Amino acid sequence: MVRKDIDFFSVLVTKIKGNIMKNTKTVLIDKNPGRNSQTFGIARELGTNVDLIHEPSVGVVGNKGDSQCYLGVGAKVQVIHEALLARVGKDPNQLKMRLIQPEFTLATSDGIRNGTKEMRYSLIGREVTNDSICEHLSASGLEGLIAVVACDKPPVGTLAAILEHNRPAIIMSDGSIRPGLDSSTGEPIDIISSYQIAGSGDEALKRRIAMEACPGIGSCGGMFTYNTMQTFIGVLGMQPLHMVSPASQDTKRTKDFPNELIDYLTILINQNITPRDIVTRESIRNALIVSMAVGGSTNVMLHAPELSRAAGYSNFSEDIMSADEFNYLSEQIVPVVVNARPFGKFSMVDIDRKGGVQVIVKDLLEAGLLNGDTLTCTGEKLVDQVKKLSPPNPDGDVIYSVQFPFKETGGLRLLGGNLSPECSAILKLAGVEGGLENNVFIGNAKVFDGEQNLLKRLDESPDSFANFDMIVVRYEGPVGGPGMPEMLDSTSRITALCRDKNIVVGLMTDGRFSGGSVGLVIGHVGPEAAIGGPIGLIKDGDKIRVDLNTNELVCDQLQDPETYEKRRSDWHALSETHGGIHPSVGVADTRLLNKMRCSAVPAVFGAGMHPNKSIWISEQRLPEASNFQPKNKYKSN
């Protein structure tokens, strides 16, 4: 398939830059006084050879922010920097490169901000990380990069910028936090345990669980968004597979991995292997299939389109994988093979104890579900990297095999229907705890304009929710929030309510969910309410149908053309009386929030901030029913 590079100008600049570096670099740069005086000064301060100041640059970057997720990043960045310092120089066995000082990006913490208006900045953090890494790579002209990544969104923003820069680079996960221990039951607990008792009136219990849930450092430990995306990045080929699962505090991350990373980066530089050589259509498809198999976070369907864009593929559905094919694979071919939180029992450190994600990849390769010929950051094909790692077989307790899976069908499902004409709505089927009879849920709409109104109701009158309600939270999309906040606080309270009252309550939104959310929850419903999507036309009491036999999300009342047109006309009239913006849309009271509102593309394209937003929307083609036929390579052996 021919790549569709989004930004021809950036590609041209990269090519020109490469030619300058290879051919006329010294002649051009030596005439710049700043390139001499400041780079001499930096070399002296860092302890590197001053004769290398005009050689290609190499360095390390990290993600930082306000949470335990980031606390281990600085130390690992420093160790890698020191290892680089020892390995750059003019000796034959050294990298003849200019070493630059480490740099860090800044992002927020999903765990701390869930349930607050500050959560609007979470997905924006992916974009800010992209911007800052882009500025660093482009302005510094880096020809070799090692990135240490943490939390949910910065790793994706980091990789997107790396793909846009397209010079040799490699990623290492900072690692997961180890589980806490409930001092009363002796059971392992984590951040989700704390969220799921948020509605309890037992203040002493809530404090004790909160105190015990997150010991140590590292990113969330279940198969939530962080570990979904670290697994994704590993299978994609940009992170060595054996570096995904060890905990943040595992000594391998500071003793063994730094020099391994430099070894691999040296291979990439010497062979001129760039990120876009690694991140291809086939490797992205591999990563999506593994995301299904691990029951991964719904956020993968925001991040995969964004990474695909950065890799040069403009239309995810056409270039990578259609909704029909995605659902076929998840329904018929790819089972869930891990017993992992939030839908199972174990964490990523347990997966590491049983051999790591390479166990999962090996099993899927042997089942014929992955393309083993994709290139990876180790310089090897995926199949050869796995063979060299020689992982054990699935243990059948933490990690299951494709032949005898933990759950028969894949963990994710995309929905169309009259509420989701973009086929962007996503359900984490692996986390559904009930309510689907013959694969159908029919509920009564209970509508909330904004998550804060829902949280207020859950706090003040939880008994107002009844069996087979379908909560509708809208005006929380990329434009509406703005920022598309995730709703772990809401979903956790609803899960606890359902378990306590033995009822089923669904939730659908044009916002998104944490990878730790469970229940009948559907996110990314698009088009979003703020731009006139059908979710904005639902009224209290409407019948909402979730049909997994046809993969549709339907409002019965909106199937009547007259009702639809009347509600649509009323919505536009109300918006016009408020300057063309619906009054329920969130306030964009900072430059950053306003930038998101003005430049965010739809969830189906990754919900990122792009200056050519109008082109993306005008070129959008809503997926249609297709005659997709499975290929033989998806057949199990």
Side-chain angles (χ1 to χ4, degrees), residues 189-190 192-193 196 222-224 339-347:
I189 55 176
D190 56 26
I192 304 304
S193 309
Q196 289 184 348
M223 194 53 71
F224 314 147
N339 178 7
R341 296 272 286 159
F343 53 84
K345 181 179 178 181
F346 298 104
S347 69

Side-chain angles (χ1 to χ4, degrees), residues 207-238:
R207 178 177 173 81
R208 180 175 65 78
I209 295 297
M211 290 286 287
E212 296 172 352
C214 296
I217 61 174
S219 298
C220 291
M223 194 53 71
F224 314 147
T225 305
Y226 173 73
N227 280 313
T228 297
M229 293 314 302
Q230 291 311 306
T231 302
F232 188 99
I233 291 168
V235 177
L236 200 59
M238 287 301 297

